Structure formats: C-alpha cells, structure tokens
Amino acid sequence: MLSEARAAGLKFELIAAREGDKLPFHSESRVTLTPGAFRAATQTVTPQGVIGIARVHEATLSEAIQAARAARWPLIVLDRVQDPGNVGAICRTAAAAGAPALVVLEGSADPYGAKAVRASAGIVFRLKVAHAAWKDLEGLEGYGAAASGGAPLSEAPIESAGMIVLGSEAHGLSRKDLKLVTVPLTEGVESLNVAAAAALIFFEVRRRLAA
Ligand SMILES: C[S@@+](CC[C@H](N)C(=O)[O-])C[C@H]1O[C@@H](n2cnc3c(N)ncnc32)[C@H](O)[C@@H]1O
C-alpha cells in the first residue's frame, strides 16, 4: 500500500516502522517504534509493520469531471455507499478498469479513511477523488445502477454516459430520476454486493471503450 501511494506521487511526512520490520523502500522520514508503541499507534488488530502519514490532494469536482472527460470515461459516483470496505474495493476496481475519477456524495464512507485505503490496496491514490452533493452534478447525464428495473447491462449505452451512480447497500439510489442499468440476476436473487455490481459494470465499460 505504501509503495502504491509513493508511486502515485504522495510525499510521506512520516513513516513509522515496527522494530524488526522492513520498509519497502528507503525513506528519510523514518522512525522506529517498539512493538508496544506501534500497537498503540495503529488502528487495526493485526497491523502490518509500517504506518505512513502523508498529505493527500483531494481533487475538486471540476478536476474529477475533466479527468473523466479526457479519458472518455463516465464519472463514477458513489451515492451513500457506507461500508469503507466496499468504497475501497470500488476504488480499486475503478482504477483497474481504467476509470480516472470518482465522486463521493454525502453519506458515503470516505475513500481516504484508513479502512477504505486498505481495502483499495492503496490504488485509490491513482484516482482523482472528489466530494460533492447532487446539486453540484446538475447537468451531468448518466445511469444509476439498480438491483432491478433497469435496462439490462448488455443494452444500456453506459460507456457514453456522463456518470455511473452506485447506490447504498441498504437503500439503493437516493435519486429517482436517473436512467437505470441492471445486471440481470438469476431468479430469486435480489441484488449484488455493490462492489461486485461496480466491477461488472466498469469492466463492461472498459470492454466497450476498447472495442
Ligand atoms: C445491495 S444493493 C442495494 C439493494 C437495495 N435493497 C435497493 O433497494 O436497491 C447496493 C447497490 O449495488 C448496486 N447493485 C446491486 N445489484 C445490482 C444489479 N443487479 N445491477 C446493477 N446494480 C446493482 C446498485 O447500485 C445498488 O444500489
């Protein structure tokens, strides 16, 4: 994760390694902590042996929109996706599929929170990530991903959409006026995990953009 962050251009203010653990790269700003001090400083139960502190540049909404347009990708929008594990997994998949930018709406977990960063394996730092509200996205046409009732994924022109919106784990999409896209499921199965739905949709966008 630290190597990913470094490769994405982050400058570390401090790297703290647990006594006996190795850093993946040389750093001037390194300190070593005893196992007890290290345990007290981490937020996880079974931490890896290194903690990094870096300042992140969060993108503005217009930077995120510009990046998406330049790559001819829809802007990815998270509408109250609350589980940081899901948010991190979506960031990782978005970057893997080639999406350059992601926007999180109020009520979503912070992609730069520690758990989300870990779930993204540090890949989140490659994306332009911005926070916004629905009113900031006025004028951006797009598709909302819905567990049911949308156009089947194979038929919806999602690759030319201005945005693709993923909804909350418990309540789905908060806006009711979006065009909808649905990954058809076997009868009796209600919905996909939001990160799984995102993966199918993003890689379908990738496939079509490459065709
Ligand atoms: C667990 S689902 C939400 C289910 C929720 N009960 C509802 O009312 O929609 C979380 C999100 O994953 C996405 N999702 C889940 N299944 C999907 C599917 N089959 N096709 C497209 N998106 C899906 C949607 O964005 C949805 O809002």
Side-chain angles (χ1 to χ4, degrees):
M1 196 169 77
L2 295 188
S3 299
E4 265 298 331
R6 189 166 177 254
L10 260 73
K11 301 268 177 291
F12 290 101
E13 292 181 358
L14 181 77
I15 293 190
R18 184 171 47 200
E19 228 166 40
D21 278 276
K22 285 207 174 88
L23 285 187
F25 48 79
H26 172 77
S27 169
E28 301 283 309
S29 46
R30 174 200 170 123
V31 297
T32 303
L33 297 179
T34 62
F38 188 85
R39 220 176 12 256
T42 58
Q43 300 167 337
T44 52
V45 181
T46 49
Q48 294 182 6
V50 191
I51 301 169
I53 299 177
R55 202 169 286 279
V56 175
H57 166 75
E58 183 169 312
T60 62
L61 177 61
S62 77
E63 284 172 336
I65 292 175
Q66 285 301 328
R69 281 207 186 124
R72 297 176 188 280
W73 254 85
L75 183 68
I76 309 301
V77 178
L78 305 190
D79 177 12
R80 305 173 305 167
V81 177
Q82 286 171 327
D83 178 345
N86 282 337
V87 169
I90 292 171
C91 290
R92 186 176 186 175
T93 307
L102 180 136
V103 165
V104 283
L105 300 178
E106 292 141 327
S108 301
D110 182 4
Y112 293 129
K115 196 170 171 200
V117 169
R118 281 196 299 276
S120 84
I123 308 289
V124 61
F125 300 120
R126 295 193 197 188
L127 295 170
K128 295 255 182 251
V129 175
H131 282 82
W134 274 128
K135 64 176 169 40
D136 305 321
L137 299 177
E138 267 170 24
L140 210 56
E141 282 280 309
Y143 275 91
S148 62
L153 178 60
S154 60
E155 291 170 23
I158 45 168
E159 71 283 9
S160 51
M163 63 179 170
I164 293 175
V165 187
L166 292 144
S168 98
E169 295 88 342
H171 307 294
L173 298 163
S174 67
R175 240 174 85 175
K176 302 299 168 207
D177 61 339
L178 294 168
K179 287 179 284 183
L180 301 178
V181 58
T182 294
V183 179
L185 305 177
T186 299
E187 209 179 317
V189 178
E190 201 182 289
S191 67
L192 290 165
N193 163 275
V194 63
L200 291 165
I201 293 169
F202 298 166
F203 274 86
E204 180 60 13
V205 171
R206 179 184 173 87
R207 190 186 68 75
R208 292 188 201 170
L209 290 179

